[in-house]
């Protein structure tokens, strides 16, 4: 029925959320839905690992109930407190034995109490701690900020199985759970989008965590995250991708994002794009109001240049572009250069404000904002083309 055996006596007991279109409130678009992956390990001691988001609690209990009597569960590992995994915690606890042991980090304990109250039987673990559950062992690796302070990985050495919760995950609802059963292009795209939009600010921690796990010598032949597919064919690939993405090394690519009121800023965007293309630069061009912000960020993630254009309205930026500027500041991309453009009528203001926001996002502005009044004439459009060519040359000259 709903459960899927992923290794001998180890089951996926999660839920598929086919219809979710935004995650983290409205912050993250999930065009392809998501899954909330929970797992059950059956041994001399039976272990439940993680849970599901609130709307799927009933389905989760149905699936879990197929493979075990709730009263036979001995340990409940909470790798991460965020409600997409822990919303089922209180209802689950009502169904488990009173002496069930909840395994989590100290921050996990604090987070669970803050979300659901106290009175539970916690066992706090740290990196290096292990629990023997029969022929298998649970080993724990704290992973703070991947994705919350409470996060940890659970590792089962006898199975070479890593359960890292959010890390290595993606928002993708799938019928078949394993990477080799799905379109590789899609899963890598969703994994990259997840990293770019959620994990980028923690890249330094990811580099250190990968180094730590490598030094621990963990043998891994399966990574079973809490969202999306389970890695078994591409284990090495996704670890290498994480190492690469965490370095944030951009390639010779530019992303132009703009919006427009009466087409003038759009005319500039088009000419700037031509200048870049004719210099051989790979570009993406987005009108923000008809584009998905998270998809744009995924393209910005590995681009060297970000070029943002807006007309001025009431002395400020066209509001559609503001969420992107907020994201750029929050995500803290590295090694990026930038430029700004836009048209205005009787008074400017938007390009200056965008430039300030890009500087706050630590994007190195390589040109003064390119500004035109009302409608750009032929000469101005030629200048916009040259503006694009100069940005292209700066891209090629920038080493990092
Ligand atoms: Fe999937 Fe950070 O929760």
């Amino acid at each position: 029925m709903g459960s899927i055996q992923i290794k001998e006596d180890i089951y996926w007991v999660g839920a598929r959320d086919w219809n979710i279109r935004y995650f983290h409130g409205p912050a993250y678009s999930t065009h392809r839905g998501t899954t909330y992956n929970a797992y059950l390990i059956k041994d001399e001691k039976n272990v439940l690992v993680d849970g599901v988001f609130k709307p799927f609690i009933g389905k989760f209990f149905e699936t879990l109930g197929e493979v075990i009597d709730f009263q036979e569960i001995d340990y409940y590992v909470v790798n991460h407190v965020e409600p997409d995994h822990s919303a089922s915690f209180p209802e689950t606890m009502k169904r488990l034995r009173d002496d069930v042991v909840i395994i989590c980090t100290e921050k996990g304990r604090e987070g669970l109490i803050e979300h659901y109250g106290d009175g539970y039987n916690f066992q706090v673990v740290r990196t290096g701690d292990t629990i023997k559950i029969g022929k298998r062992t649970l080993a724990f690796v704290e992973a703070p900020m991947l994705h919350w302070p409470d996060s940890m990985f659970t590792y089962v050495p006898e199975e070479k199985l890593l359960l890292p919760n959010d890390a290595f995950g993606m928002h993708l609802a799938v019928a078949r759970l394993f990477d080799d059963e799905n379109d590789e292009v899609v899963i890598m795209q969703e994994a990259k989008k997840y990293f770019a939009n959620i994990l980028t600010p923690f890249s330094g921690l990811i580099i250190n965590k990968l180094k730590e796990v490598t030094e621990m010598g963990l043998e891994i032949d399966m990574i079973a995250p809490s969202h999306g597919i389970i890695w078994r064919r591409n284990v090495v690939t996704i670890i290498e991708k994480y190492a690469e993405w965490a370095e944030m090394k951009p390639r010779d690519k530019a992303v132009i994002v703009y919006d427009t009121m009466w087409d003038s800023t759009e005319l500039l965007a088009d000419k700037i794009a031509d200048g870049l293309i004719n210099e051989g630069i790979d570009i993406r061009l987005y009108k923000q109001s008809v584009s998905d912000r998270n998809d744009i960020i995924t393209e910005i993630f590995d681009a060297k240049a970000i070029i943002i254009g807006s007309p001025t309205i009431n002395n400020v930026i066209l509001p559609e572009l503001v969420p992107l500027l907020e994201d750029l500041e929050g995500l803290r991309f590295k090694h990026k250069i930038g430029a700004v453009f836009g048209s205005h009528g009787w008074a400017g203001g938007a390009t200056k404000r965008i430039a300030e926001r890009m500087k706050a996002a630590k994007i190195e502005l390589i040109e003064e904002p390119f500004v035109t009044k009302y409608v750009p004439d032929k000469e101005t459009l030629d200048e916009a083309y040259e503006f694009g060519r100069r940005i292209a040359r700066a891209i090629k000259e920038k080493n990092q």
Side-chain angles (χ1 to χ4, degrees):
M1 295 260 277
S3 63
I4 297 173
Q5 183 162 305
I6 64 166
K7 288 204 175 236
E8 189 183 350
D9 287 335
I10 302 181
Y11 298 86
W12 176 88
V13 290
R16 299 175 182 87
D17 189 348
W18 297 102
N19 290 316
I20 189 171
R21 288 297 173 265
Y22 286 96
F23 185 82
H24 277 164
Y28 186 105
S29 60
T30 46
H31 310 309
R32 296 180 171 111
T34 194
T35 64
Y36 312 104
N37 298 338
Y39 301 95
L40 179 77
I41 304 169
K42 293 178 91 168
D43 208 314
E44 287 171 28
K45 300 286 185 185
N46 298 310
V47 183
L48 173 64
V49 180
D50 293 319
V52 301
F53 188 35
K54 207 167 187 175
F56 298 91
I57 293 174
K59 182 80 176 174
F60 168 54
F61 289 160
E62 188 184 313
T63 305
L64 182 59
E66 286 171 16
V67 281
I68 196 159
D69 178 337
F70 283 53
Q71 294 293 302
E72 291 176 4
I73 293 173
D74 302 283
Y75 291 107
Y76 180 1
V77 174
V78 178
N79 280 320
H80 181 25
V81 176
E82 196 164 10
D84 50 324
H85 312 290
S86 76
S88 53
F89 176 83
E91 286 301 316
T92 304
M93 290 307 297
K94 286 181 193 168
R95 286 162 173 77
L96 303 184
R97 290 198 318 267
D98 289 342
D99 65 344
V100 72
V101 179
I102 299 152
I103 311 291
C104 58
T105 62
E106 175 55 29
K107 288 287 181 193
R109 188 187 69 84
E110 291 169 15
L112 285 169
I113 291 170
E114 281 161 7
H115 279 77
Y116 308 113
D118 204 350
Y120 300 109
N121 185 20
F122 292 107
Q123 181 175 339
V124 168
V125 292
R126 305 197 60 171
T127 296
D129 288 352
T130 58
I131 297 173
K132 198 76 184 156
I133 57 167
K135 62 184 179 183
R136 300 183 186 84
T137 312
L138 304 179
F140 305 99
V141 180
E142 292 165 281
M145 301 318 295
L146 300 178
H147 149 243
W148 273 12
D150 50 78
S151 296
M152 72 170 181
F153 300 168
T154 298
Y155 175 62
V156 186
E158 296 82 0
E159 302 289 348
K160 301 180 182 178
L161 171 65
L162 184 68
L163 303 163
N165 200 270
D166 280 342
F168 306 110
M170 69 194 65
H171 288 307
L172 177 66
V174 287
R176 293 168 299 181
L177 270 182
F178 291 101
D179 53 352
D180 50 88
E181 298 173 313
N182 287 278
D183 184 328
E184 205 165 296
V185 173
V186 170
I187 63 178
M188 293 314 295
Q189 183 189 357
E190 292 295 346
K192 182 179 173 188
K193 178 178 176 179
Y194 190 90
F195 192 110
N197 285 272
I198 293 180
L199 297 178
T200 296
F202 315 117
S203 289
L205 295 167
I206 289 169
I207 291 168
N208 292 339
K209 190 54 59 184
L210 290 174
K211 190 163 173 274
E212 182 187 327
V213 168
T214 304
E215 286 171 0
M216 290 169 85
L218 306 188
E219 287 185 71
I220 300 168
D221 71 9
M222 187 180 289
I223 299 177
S226 58
H227 297 292
I229 57 91
I230 295 173
W231 304 95
R232 66 179 177 192
R233 182 168 69 190
N234 295 297
V235 167
V236 174
T237 304
I238 191 60
I239 291 172
E240 287 176 351
K241 276 289 172 195
Y242 260 54
E244 177 192 321
W245 292 335
E247 293 288 343
M248 285 195 256
K249 284 186 180 160
R251 61 189 184 87
D252 286 359
K253 170 183 162 187
V255 178
I256 301 170
V257 190
Y258 72 98
D259 224 303
T260 197
M261 289 168 68
W262 297 108
D263 300 342
S264 293
T265 302
E266 188 162 67
L267 289 169
L268 296 179
D270 183 58
K271 287 296 168 191
I272 294 167
D274 284 350
L276 284 151
I277 291 167
N278 290 349
E279 282 286 334
I281 298 295
D282 186 18
I283 75 151
R284 305 288 185 275
L285 183 143
Y286 296 99
K287 183 193 280 189
Q288 177 65 78
S289 55
V290 294
S291 305
D292 180 273
R293 197 182 75 259
N294 301 110
D295 292 342
I296 294 173
I297 286 166
T298 309
E299 292 294 343
I300 290 173
F301 180 59
D302 63 358
K304 204 176 280 181
I306 163 83
I307 305 154
I308 301 180
S310 173
T312 293
I313 181 166
N314 300 325
N315 301 109
V316 297
I317 307 162
L318 210 56
E320 280 69 18
L321 288 156
V322 174
L324 176 72
L325 295 167
E326 285 289 319
D327 268 342
L328 289 177
E329 194 170 335
L331 289 170
R332 304 196 292 276
F333 291 123
K334 289 181 181 163
H335 316 305
K336 299 219 186 290
I337 58 176
V340 184
F341 64 99
S343 75
H344 64 83
W346 55 97
T351 52
K352 183 167 175 279
R353 290 171 79 93
I354 294 172
E356 286 166 359
R357 300 300 304 272
M358 290 175 80
K359 281 183 201 163
K362 306 281 189 272
I363 296 166
E364 178 196 350
L365 295 179
I366 55 164
E367 291 268 346
E368 287 298 313
F370 187 97
V371 180
T372 188
K373 193 173 181 190
Y374 289 114
V375 181
D377 57 15
K378 166 82 171 57
E379 188 184 344
T380 306
L381 292 174
D382 288 346
E383 286 170 10
Y385 175 80
E386 291 303 324
F387 182 73
R389 289 187 66 203
R390 288 198 300 280
I391 297 168
R393 288 196 287 273
I395 289 171
K396 288 187 263 189
E397 284 163 14
K398 189 171 167 62
N399 291 328
Q400 192 44 274

